[in-house]
Amino acid sequence: YAQAVGRTPDEAVAGGGSEIVSGLVPDQARALAQAARETGAERGELRNFVVDGERRTFMVTEKPLGSGGPIVGWAQDVSERESLRAELALHDSAHREVLGQLGTGIAIYGKDKHLAYCNAAFARLWHLDEDWLQAEPHASDVLDRARANGRLPEPPNYAAFIRERLARFTDLIEPTEEIL
């Protein structure tokens, strides 16, 4: 890292209280250190630097070593991770675009059972407001709203019906089909 910012490792260590990054981004480095000092907690942010002619992404972190004590800072090269994250976001965006064009209703729920994605066909099928769906409602709320819109059957025990549907998030191993 010292080499990346134009100092030898000996120069970086020799000053005791030196700020390796201060020559590159003095205001950012001091602001991050000050925020860590004020909150008493570790603070970090992503920063881009050119290293050997290549743009690299670093997670720069500042951490207080005690109340009113020194602040220790370090940087970790996270370029590969950030590159993979950007690539995944691109694939996710492409998949969402394809799913959005399908005439079949599609909904994807997260592990917390909140709606993570649905296409317009899903909203039309269940007569649900797309703005409401954007708020990522819980699966039970989606079922309740679909029921209120007359899109679900009226089982004798609605609470058991909901429990059974929600249990599928964790218990269902094989695909299942159901006609409503």
Side-chain angles (χ1 to χ4, degrees):
Y1 180 74
Q3 200 172 24
V5 297
R7 298 176 90 175
T8 68
D10 291 336
E11 290 173 326
V13 173
S18 71
E19 295 180 32
I20 295 173
V21 76
S22 65
L24 288 176
V25 283
D27 294 337
Q28 286 180 337
R30 288 187 191 99
L32 186 60
Q34 185 61 33
R37 183 179 312 281
E38 289 171 0
T39 62
E42 182 177 300
R43 300 294 296 254
E45 57 188 39
L46 292 174
R47 298 213 187 116
N48 295 306
F49 299 106
V50 176
V51 179
D52 293 331
E54 184 180 334
R55 183 175 185 237
R56 308 291 298 173
T57 302
F58 288 83
M59 172 57 77
V60 178
T61 306
E62 299 281 350
K63 180 178 182 175
L65 295 180
S67 181
I71 302 285
V72 64
W74 66 92
Q76 179 182 6
D77 187 343
V78 294
S79 302
E80 186 174 337
R81 179 188 77 189
E82 291 304 307
S83 175
L84 290 172
R85 184 175 291 167
E87 187 175 330
L88 180 60
L90 185 63
H91 284 286
D92 185 51
S93 175
H95 288 153
R96 286 174 182 264
E97 188 174 325
V98 168
L99 293 175
Q101 301 301 315
L102 295 178
T104 302
I106 305 231
I108 300 172
Y109 290 87
K111 62 183 176 181
D112 62 356
K113 299 179 186 169
H114 282 265
L115 186 66
Y117 170 82
C118 71
N119 62 4
F122 178 84
R124 283 191 308 273
L125 174 68
W126 297 105
H127 294 188
L128 299 170
D129 181 62
E130 289 188 49
D131 290 335
W132 180 76
L133 291 169
Q134 292 296 319
E136 300 181 354
H138 191 272
S140 62
D141 295 329
V142 172
L143 291 169
D144 288 345
R145 185 74 61 103
R147 179 184 184 210
N149 292 339
R151 304 303 287 176
L152 284 179
E154 285 295 334
N157 186 343
Y158 183 70
F161 175 82
I162 292 295
R163 277 194 305 277
E164 178 188 325
R165 293 316 174 273
L166 295 179
R168 291 179 179 182
F169 281 89
T170 55
D171 298 345
L172 188 64
I173 295 175
E174 296 295 323
T176 184
E177 272 189 48
E178 178 179 22
I179 297 175
L180 294 175

